[in-house]
Amino acid sequence: MTAETNNVLMKADHVKVYYKGKNRKAGVVKAVDDVSFEIMKGETFGVVGESGCGKSTLGRALVRLLKPTEGEITLDGKAIAELKGEELKQMRKDAQIIFQDPSASLNPRRTIKQILMEPFEIHGMKGDVEARIQELIQLVGLDTYHLSRYPHELSGGQKQRVGIARALALEPKIIICDEAVSALDVSVQAQVLNLLQELKEKLGLTYFFISHNLNVVYQVSDRVAVMYLGKIVEIADYAQLYEKRYHPYTEALLSAIPQVGAEEKSERIRLEGELPSPSNPPSGCRFHTRCPKVCERCMKEEPVFREIEAGHYVACHLYD
Ligand code: SF4
């Protein structure tokens, strides 16, 4: 998808993640259905879409918490599903995840210091762990006295900083931020986003940044992928997407953000209906049941995801 292939850190190639629904009626849930993209070293690759579109499932597959049904994910050119022994251990260090709810992801019975020691214990790492923990807590803007505290003694923003410190412990190459700021108040959200940005520059990190909020994705991403019902429908550079969005779903998401595209003063596009079930997606283009620009072809034929401008990919019949 890009000429700079030697700069690719992670690649998803026709990845599908299907699983059985909770009840028989639900059938097979096609949470992620044939997505391909590349994440370049040092970039923030944002993924946006409504709740239930498959973005978190995709994030978990990227760190091997879930096994794809089909397709391949590579990290530094190595297929992560094939890794064993030392290579698997290294991959577990290289790819980390930060979860949405800092309260749920930190063990309430352990102090912050014990929580930050976990990654070193799991990987049997000795050496000067104590000094590294002191360094980590300062790196995320907390004080060393926080190390003796329990999670319930910290605010939501401080807990998420601990989550970030834990993800940084093993010096990862890529961090999956799964709705990492969604549970926080807006002002705290901005502080945590700034921290992530600072850490990226300081440590040369790469992020896969998942959010249902395009405004948040816009603030941090170099490139943005828009997901709808298990499919990526548009990928573009942040600036390209700001200038010109092609897919009607992206247009609808953008119209809900007043400050983006303000010059055009476009009216908010309200999508009718609920997100269809991923176990029974609509025929043809999956967005056709809610698309304001639907035509007959859309109901029968699935649009091909294609490059319509350099680096700008779209799946929509309007641009065939
Ligand atoms: Fe809308 Fe048709 Fe394009 Fe799908 S293919 S987004 S239904 S215009």
Side-chain angles (χ1 to χ4, degrees), residues 247-249 285-288 291 293-295 298 303 315-318:
H247 199 281
Y249 181 58
C285 172
R286 289 185 181 191
F287 187 53
H288 87 247
C291 180
K293 296 182 179 169
V294 60
C295 65
C298 306
C316 176
H317 290 311
L318 293 174

Side-chain angles (χ1 to χ4, degrees), residues 19 29-32 49-57 179 212 227-231 249 275-279:
Y19 54 84
V29 177
K30 296 174 178 177
V32 177
E50 287 162 286
S51 170
C53 73
K55 53 194 189 307
S56 290
T57 304
E179 299 276 10
H212 66 282
M227 244 182 127
Y228 184 80
L229 209 58
K231 299 264 185 197
Y249 181 58
L275 188 70
S277 165
S279 58

Side-chain angles (χ1 to χ4, degrees), residues 268-313:
R268 178 161 185 186
I269 303 165
R270 293 191 186 276
L271 294 176
E272 301 295 332
E274 297 288 312
L275 188 70
S277 165
S279 58
N280 187 21
S283 59
C285 172
R286 289 185 181 191
F287 187 53
H288 87 247
T289 53
R290 301 169 79 196
C291 180
K293 296 182 179 169
V294 60
C295 65
E296 217 178 312
R297 185 180 172 201
C298 306
M299 298 173 204
K300 297 179 195 148
E301 215 181 297
E302 187 175 338
V304 176
F305 191 61
R306 66 177 86 230
E307 190 173 24
I308 57 168
E309 270 176 29
H312 200 145
Y313 296 79

